[in-house]
């Protein structure tokens, strides 16, 4: 199966296309022909590509409110290491990365950034970055080695120490209950396509909310349900590596059910906690002005963005796909949609790039193809830099879901800049990216979006899933041989922004 980064965020259409075409030509969705209408960015006088919120125009200065959260994000498997310590069980990512050939370079997260042992050092970095928020995730198999039964006290104690240290540093923890590391034992029972996983997840949510609820006031139940179900159960490029379209659809429904049950479990333990999910999003634009491409773009939006937001917020799956995906395929039972709908306190938005969509009658059940945009520069993950899409996505969410409270739970870019002879990491491209995307977010606030915080992906370079250690997203450079951390120029730039709230 394809594993390139370009494909990573075009996965749904690739997968649905593959489903319809009988496993044929998944790369065929990746043409980069420019749409006739879009202007190319003009080069800047200093030779850098001037990607402002509008190509060629630098973002306007903006003063963020004093209480705006400035944070950085991580996930347990990507940073913790200590994969077998203190009673932790095996996760699907341990199994996947230990299987030769599935992760680039055969890397794994056995040690990663060793943050399980170095969390105090990491918090010192957060302090230097002037962060007021830190997004982390809990490793389910650290708490329940096999995904069921009594909790492992040592796992809970680790998180208590970490959370206490964050509070001590006056940094608000934003905690994701599940960032992709399912206990392998539950995968052996069928994983997310198995409806029983809803019950196991709700029990786990109840355990962590009861044990840690005094220290956690802001929860993201899931990280990117569309990505982990799509890449894990259909495209096969993420754990558990399955390529089963029917299983993927069932997995999406179990995850939606589990989200509703976990919402209630967390609220039962901590009624005042704020609970949401971190959704993956991509702004969809039709490739041409034709009615066919506009409708195709809406179908793409429905599967990539609304598939998990509509059920929880509106109580039904997106109308645009009602003809293409049936309740039977999802395994919907009476009462399910009532269970799924939940009054989220905020929406977590993860945003990286937009998708240019056109109708493709020969391509899968949805007859759509999505591509990376052709106009902006590409990061080293081949994701297009196009900050206008971020603004437009935030406005669409604002409009479609009645002006919800939004927290940006991820946004960032992969560039491989490393320390020079003077130990300086001059990553100007990341500074340009941040200024432009944060400028797009500021414009969304001006336009009426209710955004209360921004958490950059990532605090530091880490294990980037199927890409191993080949993609560096950090504000801090990590030398994976020595575990030495070096704050990059972008980290210093971000520290200034976090201290003043002033984007200039
Ligand atoms: C997101 C994931 C996060 C990280 C970034 C680059 O899809 O949530 O863990 O891999 O992409």
């Amino acid at each position: 199966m394809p594993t390139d980064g370009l494909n990573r965020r075009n996965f749904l259409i690739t997968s649905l296309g593959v489903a319809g075409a009988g496993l044929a030509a998944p790369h065929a969705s990746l043409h980069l022909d420019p749409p006739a209408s879009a202007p190319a960015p003009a080069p800047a006088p200093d030779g850098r590509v001037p990607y402002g919120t509008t190509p060629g125009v630098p973002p306007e200065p903006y003063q963020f409110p004093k209480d705006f959260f400035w944070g950085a994000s991580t996930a347990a498997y990507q940073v913790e290491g200590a994969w077998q310590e203190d009673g932790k069980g095996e996760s699907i990512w341990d199994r996947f990365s230990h299987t030769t050939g599935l992760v680039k370079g055969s890397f794994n997260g056995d040690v990663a950034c060793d943050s399980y042992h170095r969390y105090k050092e990491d918090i010192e970095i957060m302090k230097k970055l002037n962060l007021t928020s830190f997004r982390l995730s809990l490793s389910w198999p650290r708490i329940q080695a096999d995904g069921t039964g009594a909790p492992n006290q040592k796992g809970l104690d680790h998180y208590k120490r970490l959370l206490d240290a964050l509070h001590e540093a006056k940094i608000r923890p934003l905690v994701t209950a599940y960032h992709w590391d399912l206990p392998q034992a539950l995968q052996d029972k069928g994983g997310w396509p198995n409806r029983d996983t809803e019950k196991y997840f709700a029990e786990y949510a109840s355990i962590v909310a009861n044990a840690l609820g005094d220290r956690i006031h802001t929860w993201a139940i899931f990280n990117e349900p569309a990505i982990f179900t799509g890449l894990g159960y259909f495209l096969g490029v993420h754990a558990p590596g399955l390529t089963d379209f029917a299983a993927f659809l069932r997995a999406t429904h179990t995850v939606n059910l589990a989200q509703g049950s976990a919402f209630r479990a967390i609220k039962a333990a901590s009624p005042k906690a704020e609970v949401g999910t971190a959704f993956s999003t991509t702004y969809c634009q039709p490739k041409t002005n034709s009615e066919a491409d506009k409708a195709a773009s809406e179908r793409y939006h429905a599967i990539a963005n609304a598939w998990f937001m509509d059920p929880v917020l509106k109580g039904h799956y997106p109308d645009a796909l009602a003809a293409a995906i049936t309740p039977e395929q999802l395994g919907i039972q009476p009462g399910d949609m009532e269970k799924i709908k939940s009054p989220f306190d905020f929406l977590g938005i993860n945003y990286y790039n937009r998708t240019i969509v056109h109708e493709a009658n020969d391509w899968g059940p949805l007859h759509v193809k999505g591509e990376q945009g052709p106009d902006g520069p590409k990061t080293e993950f081949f994701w297009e830099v196009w900050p206008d899409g971020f603004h437009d996505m935030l406005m669409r969410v604002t409009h479609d879901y009645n002006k919800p409270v939004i927290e940006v739970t991820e946004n960032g870019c992969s560039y491989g800049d490393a320390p020079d002879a003077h130990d300086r990491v001059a990553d100007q491209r990341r500074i340009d990216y941040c200024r432009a995307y944060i400028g797009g977010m500021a414009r969304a606030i001006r336009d009426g979006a209710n955004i209360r915080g921004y958490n950059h992906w990532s605090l530091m370079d880490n294990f980037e899933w199927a890409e191993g250690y080949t993609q560096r997203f950090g504000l801090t450079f990590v030398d994976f041989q020595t575990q030495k951390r070096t704050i990059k120029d972008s980290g210093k730039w971000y520290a200034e922004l976090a201290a003043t709230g002033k984007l200039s």
Side-chain angles (χ1 to χ4, degrees):
M1 297 304 286
T3 56
D4 61 289
L6 185 57
N7 206 21
R8 164 102 176 262
R9 288 198 176 262
N10 281 73
F11 83 92
L12 278 165
I13 244 39
T14 300
S15 46
L16 290 166
V18 168
L23 290 175
H27 282 281
S29 69
L30 303 178
H31 301 301
L32 293 176
D33 312 326
S37 54
D46 63 1
R48 299 206 318 263
V49 181
Y51 36 88
T53 52
T54 302
V57 180
E60 286 172 44
Y62 187 76
Q63 179 64 53
F64 284 88
K66 264 207 153 27
D67 58 354
F68 194 83
F69 285 112
W70 293 106
S73 296
T74 59
Y77 188 72
Q78 293 178 276
V79 301
E80 283 182 351
W83 78 284
Q84 273 186 311
E85 229 165 292
D86 291 341
K88 177 182 165 294
E90 186 189 24
S91 79
I92 55 173
W93 269 97
D94 293 317
R95 178 70 63 90
F96 189 80
S97 65
H98 292 157
T99 308
T100 310
L102 298 182
V103 171
K104 215 172 253 181
S106 290
F107 290 120
N108 59 53
D110 291 4
V111 178
C113 305
D114 195 31
S115 291
Y116 189 78
H117 302 112
R118 294 171 195 257
Y119 67 90
K120 287 188 183 148
E121 191 184 337
D122 294 345
I123 292 175
E124 287 309 311
I125 291 170
M126 294 175 217
K127 287 199 236 151
K128 288 190 183 140
L129 298 183
N130 299 319
L131 301 189
T132 50
S133 166
F134 175 54
R135 177 170 173 237
L136 67 142
S137 79
L138 307 176
S139 157
W140 185 352
R142 248 185 231 301
I143 311 288
Q144 291 176 295
D146 295 332
T148 59
N152 168 27
Q153 195 55 46
K154 285 188 173 168
L156 289 172
D157 287 346
H158 166 73
Y159 290 116
K160 283 184 184 169
R161 287 190 293 270
L162 167 55
L163 292 162
D164 284 347
L166 286 168
H167 286 299
E168 175 80 27
K170 301 208 175 352
I171 297 169
R172 177 210 57 167
L174 193 174
V175 177
T176 314
Y178 181 84
H179 200 128
W180 304 357
D181 43 358
L182 186 73
Q184 179 62 41
L186 292 187
Q187 182 53 40
D188 295 342
K189 294 183 177 162
W192 287 109
N194 172 8
R195 240 183 114 94
D196 293 346
T197 307
E198 176 214 347
K199 181 182 71 200
Y200 302 132
F201 185 70
E203 282 164 11
Y204 158 69
S206 174
I207 288 171
V208 289
N210 277 296
L212 306 173
D214 54 344
R215 293 165 170 87
I216 302 173
H217 308 298
T218 312
W219 290 89
I221 297 172
F222 284 116
N223 180 66
E224 300 193 343
I227 301 287
F228 78 77
T229 53
L231 270 66
Y233 290 94
F234 187 65
L235 199 56
V237 297
H238 278 190
L242 301 186
T243 51
D244 180 342
F245 183 65
F248 155 67
L249 287 182
R250 287 200 311 278
T252 67
H253 189 59
T254 309
V255 167
N256 273 322
L257 281 168
Q259 185 170 257
S261 303
F263 179 86
R264 285 183 292 280
I266 295 171
K267 288 285 187 180
S270 318
K272 289 198 183 133
E274 298 175 331
V275 187
T277 270
F279 297 99
S280 52
T281 58
T282 178
Y283 188 66
C284 299
Q285 289 180 285
K287 186 165 182 169
T288 72
N289 281 332
S290 73
E291 291 309 313
D293 281 0
K294 285 186 198 160
S297 182
E298 277 311 294
R299 294 199 297 281
Y300 195 108
H301 170 82
I303 192 72
N305 300 318
W307 194 252
F308 288 91
M309 287 196 234
D310 275 10
V312 63
L313 300 173
K314 297 182 171 175
H316 59 81
Y317 283 95
D319 296 334
L321 294 180
I325 299 171
T326 65
E328 292 70 37
Q329 283 175 294
L330 296 170
I332 298 181
Q333 295 180 8
D336 279 3
M337 297 319 292
E338 290 73 15
K339 252 175 138 173
I340 289 172
K341 193 171 178 207
S342 308
F344 268 9
D345 299 292
F346 74 100
L347 298 190
I349 296 294
N350 293 2
Y351 191 89
Y352 293 89
N353 50 23
R354 67 173 171 164
T355 303
I356 306 295
V357 186
H358 65 275
E359 187 187 51
N361 280 323
D362 56 342
W363 192 260
L366 304 188
H367 307 306
V368 291
K369 271 191 199 173
E371 304 161 350
Q372 289 285 319
D375 305 304
K378 302 290 186 292
T379 68
E380 286 178 17
F381 216 154
F382 303 107
W383 296 351
E384 187 202 24
V385 181
W386 197 257
D388 272 356
F390 189 27
H391 164 272
D392 296 348
M393 188 74 233
L394 291 165
M395 293 317 296
R396 173 133 200 201
V397 168
T398 296
H399 176 265
D400 287 1
Y401 302 108
N402 199 17
K403 210 175 171 183
V405 176
I406 293 175
E407 184 146 348
V408 175
T409 32
E410 281 183 31
N411 170 240
C413 49
S414 165
Y415 294 115
D417 306 294
D420 64 16
H422 309 287
D423 231 13
R424 175 176 168 203
V425 185
D427 60 336
Q428 184 63 42
R429 290 172 299 177
R430 181 170 286 100
I431 296 175
D432 290 348
Y433 177 102
C434 286
R435 179 178 279 130
Y437 272 70
I438 293 169
M441 174 177 74
R443 204 148 59 79
I445 296 173
R446 274 203 196 102
D447 291 346
N450 188 2
I451 305 169
R452 69 171 190 199
Y454 172 92
N455 297 272
H456 190 78
W457 184 273
S458 174
L459 175 66
M460 56 193 164
D461 300 336
N462 55 48
F463 177 82
E464 179 44 42
W465 309 114
E467 308 299 314
Y469 296 98
T470 64
Q471 300 291 335
R472 292 181 175 271
F473 276 89
L475 295 167
T476 307
F477 182 88
V478 177
D479 179 330
F480 293 104
Q481 303 301 318
T482 62
Q483 291 298 342
K484 184 177 172 206
R485 280 100 157 110
T486 307
I487 294 176
K488 300 179 187 178
D489 280 4
S490 59
K492 294 176 190 160
W493 179 90
Y494 191 66
E496 180 73 20
L497 174 65
T500 61
K502 194 166 172 253
L503 181 73
S504 53

